[in-house]
Amino acid sequence: MNRNYWQPGYETMPREELRELQLARLRDTVARVYAKVPIYRERMDKAGVRPEDIRTLDDIRRLPFTVKQDLRDTYPYGMFACDMTDVVRLHASSGTTGKQIVVGYTKRDLEVWDNLIARQLVAAGVGSDDFIHVAFGYGLFTGGFGLHGGAQLVGATVIPVSTGNTARQLTIMQDFGSTAICATPSYALYLAEEAEKAGIADKLKLRVGIFGAEPWTEEMRRQIEARLHIKAFDIYGLTEVMGPGVSYECSDQKGMHVSEDHFIIEIIDPDTGEPVPDGTPGEIVFTSLTKKAFPVIRYRTRDIGTVNREPCPCGRTFARMSKPKGRTDDMLIIRGVNVFPSQIETVLINLGYPPNYQIIVDRVNSLDTFEVKVELTDDNFDDSVAALARKERTITEAMRSLLGIGPKITLVNPRSLTRSEGKAVRVIDRRKLHD
Ligand code: ADP
Ligand code: ZN
């Protein structure tokens, strides 16, 4: 068992004490946003709640929610809670869904961020002896600089490769002796493919991977672990709340510990806004407790997950959240059936296909069409037409039994689907074009 903590005083704090700390920090945050951020003050006035009304942690429910549109409406700096002179860094969301939003950090915010990333690295068994290969994008995206700061803080040797140029990434990995890799899981798999092609996959010194920024399944984790010969850890975060650093896996790997001394997690019913019981899936909502430049109150992430507050064998007292299966806006509704890309991924890997796929949804004569392009591998490539058709039918049926709806499967040549260096693009929904 890995009992390595970065800040044991916080990570294993008795829950009673943790709740007291959360309440004090929450009251402070609410008072500050009320004083400094007009949109929070107006919303609270309208809801008839004042900062001094927050007397217990449950009183958080009296506060209005914040949504992504609020960040867009106040773009660029309308929700900053400090003077711009105190802001030392800006980041922006990669704009996967719509117009980008911008967030800021004070010096103190960056120190906190570094420590939260250091917690995740140490929980994954990474330390000062490691060579950390950061293949998350550096720039406005939070991934690169986020991981970088924490990696430096633990005293590791940081290799700030950023994204792109996969051949060069592999050369660097070999020559510099990278032992830990941070990337999106889809890019990690691409690196594995290319390493295999170059015949170096088992010659690398890599032993651990820290992956996040997009949904991925347990099946994908096993595949990455087997092909890169590493142990893979999941991390979660989002730009609006901080970037990476919000929650992280310990060696037990049954959910990601939320750094609850800095964030309050709630799970709500997305339709009613009411809390759901622990263990029930719902929309994940975060409130930041220590951020100075860009605090968020009850931010609705649109990510769907569950929370578990049972004690963890690792000794951390922080609640664990499940791997989000995707955002509410990634969920496709096809002929009335809810479909998450992660469900498609699970079926494919279980049938022995690599998780390289693309979902294409369209509308013809007011009926939804549903197609999944699936890559063949070199091993099953030169099959007869009849054998291919049989394979396609098998996949369709496996998906029909899981989803209740069977897509048309098209098997395509190995390595023919576009690879992404950041977040994978899994869905092409052409129905929007007809609206
Ligand atoms: P953008 O919003 O432009 O995509 P972000 O980097 O802020 O840029 O994206 C954060 C989102 O990425 C989260 O809300 C979540 O949907 C997804 N995400 C991040 N980490 C994980 C993870 N470990 N598992 C699943 N989804 C994740
Ligand atoms: Zn744990």
Side-chain angles (χ1 to χ4, degrees):
M1 195 186 307
N2 171 15
R3 287 204 181 276
N4 289 340
Y5 314 116
W6 176 249
Q7 293 172 310
Y10 290 104
E11 292 176 84
T12 64
M13 187 182 261
R15 280 204 71 84
E16 221 14 72
E17 253 176 74
L18 180 61
R19 288 174 61 84
E20 275 168 33
L21 180 70
Q22 286 186 316
L23 178 60
R25 289 180 165 179
L26 175 67
R27 290 169 57 102
D28 183 62
T29 299
V30 172
R32 209 150 32 79
V33 300
Y34 189 82
K36 304 244 162 124
V37 185
I39 185 171
Y40 283 123
R41 185 167 52 247
E42 286 155 22
R43 293 260 169 91
M44 284 173 60
D45 284 346
K46 215 165 137 205
V49 51
R50 298 190 51 89
E52 52 276 19
D53 294 332
I54 307 300
R55 295 194 190 90
T56 70
L57 279 180
D58 285 340
D59 289 331
I60 195 172
R61 293 189 201 146
R62 303 183 56 181
L63 297 167
F65 290 114
T66 308
V67 296
K68 188 144 188 171
Q69 191 59 39
D70 297 329
L71 277 62
R72 294 193 175 122
D73 292 345
T74 54
Y75 179 87
Y77 303 137
M79 289 181 81
F80 282 41
C82 68
D83 289 341
M84 288 311 285
T85 48
D86 293 326
V87 175
V88 298
R89 174 97 67 79
L90 296 175
H91 279 288
S93 84
S94 49
T96 324
T97 53
K99 184 175 181 240
Q100 72 170 5
I101 49 99
V102 58
V103 298
Y105 305 77
T106 63
K107 267 192 188 148
R108 174 74 192 135
D109 290 337
L110 290 183
E111 276 168 31
V112 170
W113 196 12
D114 288 348
N115 275 287
L116 294 188
I117 298 292
R119 285 180 183 180
Q120 323 198 324
L121 295 171
V122 168
V126 171
S128 55
D129 295 341
D130 279 290
F131 288 73
I132 306 185
H133 187 107
V134 182
F136 277 121
Y138 280 68
L140 286 173
F141 175 57
T142 50
F145 279 103
L147 266 298
H148 185 101
Q152 209 162 274
L153 187 62
V154 300
T157 307
V158 191
I159 314 175
V161 200
S162 194
T163 51
N165 201 338
T166 304
R168 180 165 159 266
Q169 300 253 4
L170 291 175
T171 307
I172 287 172
M173 242 177 233
Q174 276 186 294
D175 296 353
F176 297 6
S178 313
T179 58
I181 164 120
C182 311
T184 57
S186 53
Y187 190 56
L189 198 66
Y190 181 33
L191 280 168
E193 264 174 22
E194 293 299 304
E196 284 164 3
K197 223 163 63 182
I200 56 164
D202 49 6
K203 298 199 183 74
L204 300 172
K205 289 209 181 117
L206 284 184
R207 54 176 199 85
V208 55
I210 289 117
F211 305 119
E214 65 183 2
W216 54 313
T217 56
E218 283 303 325
E219 290 82 3
M220 177 122 164
R221 185 205 307 258
R222 284 196 287 278
Q223 169 118 185
I224 294 172
E225 290 187 332
R227 295 174 69 174
L228 277 177
H229 311 279
I230 60 173
K231 180 144 181 61
F233 288 83
D234 197 4
I235 59 169
Y236 167 93
L238 64 166
T239 312
E240 300 89 311
V241 176
M242 158 155 276
V246 177
S247 64
Y248 59 107
E249 275 186 334
C250 62
S251 56
D252 210 50
Q253 299 200 319
K254 293 201 182 71
M256 292 180 275
H257 287 288
V258 176
S259 276
E260 285 186 285
D261 48 345
H262 295 274
F263 308 101
I264 290 179
I265 181 171
E266 297 174 83
I267 310 282
I268 61 159
D269 177 326
D271 297 324
T272 64
E274 291 300 314
V276 300
D278 287 1
T280 305
E283 180 174 351
I284 304 173
V285 173
F286 287 109
T287 298
S288 70
L289 296 175
T290 53
K291 280 171 68 195
K292 300 289 185 218
F294 196 87
V296 280
I297 303 290
R298 303 195 85 196
Y299 183 72
R300 293 184 59 156
T301 61
R302 294 177 295 174
D303 289 324
I304 300 292
T306 58
V307 72
N308 171 7
R309 290 174 225 269
E310 302 289 308
C312 181
C314 78
R316 284 180 183 78
T317 49
F318 294 158
R320 282 167 287 169
M321 57 176 265
S322 63
K323 191 190 264 302
K325 30 174 193 177
R327 291 179 177 176
T328 43
D329 25 321
D330 288 338
M331 188 184 79
L332 290 158
I333 304 180
I334 305 170
R335 284 177 237 151
V337 177
N338 297 350
V339 176
F340 275 102
S342 56
Q343 296 174 299
I344 304 279
E345 185 172 301
T346 299
V347 171
L348 289 179
I349 299 182
N350 285 339
L351 290 175
Y353 291 89
N356 300 319
Y357 60 95
Q358 199 163 59
I359 303 167
I360 301 152
V361 190
D362 203 347
R363 188 175 296 143
V364 178
N365 299 332
S366 53
L367 194 69
D368 291 340
T369 61
F370 177 23
E371 179 186 5
V372 182
K373 286 191 176 159
V374 179
E375 255 183 29
L376 288 161
T377 60
D378 288 324
D379 298 339
N380 58 16
F381 170 60
D382 56 355
D383 264 335
S384 71
V385 174
L388 282 179
R390 219 168 25 243
K391 285 197 167 108
E392 290 175 346
R393 271 200 306 278
T394 309
I395 304 174
T396 299
E397 286 319 310
M399 288 189 185
R400 192 194 309 282
S401 77
L402 182 75
L403 305 170
I405 175 172
K408 172 182 176 346
I409 300 294
T410 308
L411 289 167
V412 299
N413 286 343
R415 288 175 292 278
S416 62
L417 294 176
T418 313
R419 298 291 189 265
S420 142
E421 287 163 356
K423 301 186 186 220
V425 181
R426 304 287 197 198
V427 178
I428 300 175
D429 192 344
R430 298 209 179 97
R431 292 176 300 186
K432 294 178 192 133
L433 303 175
H434 311 306
D435 290 341

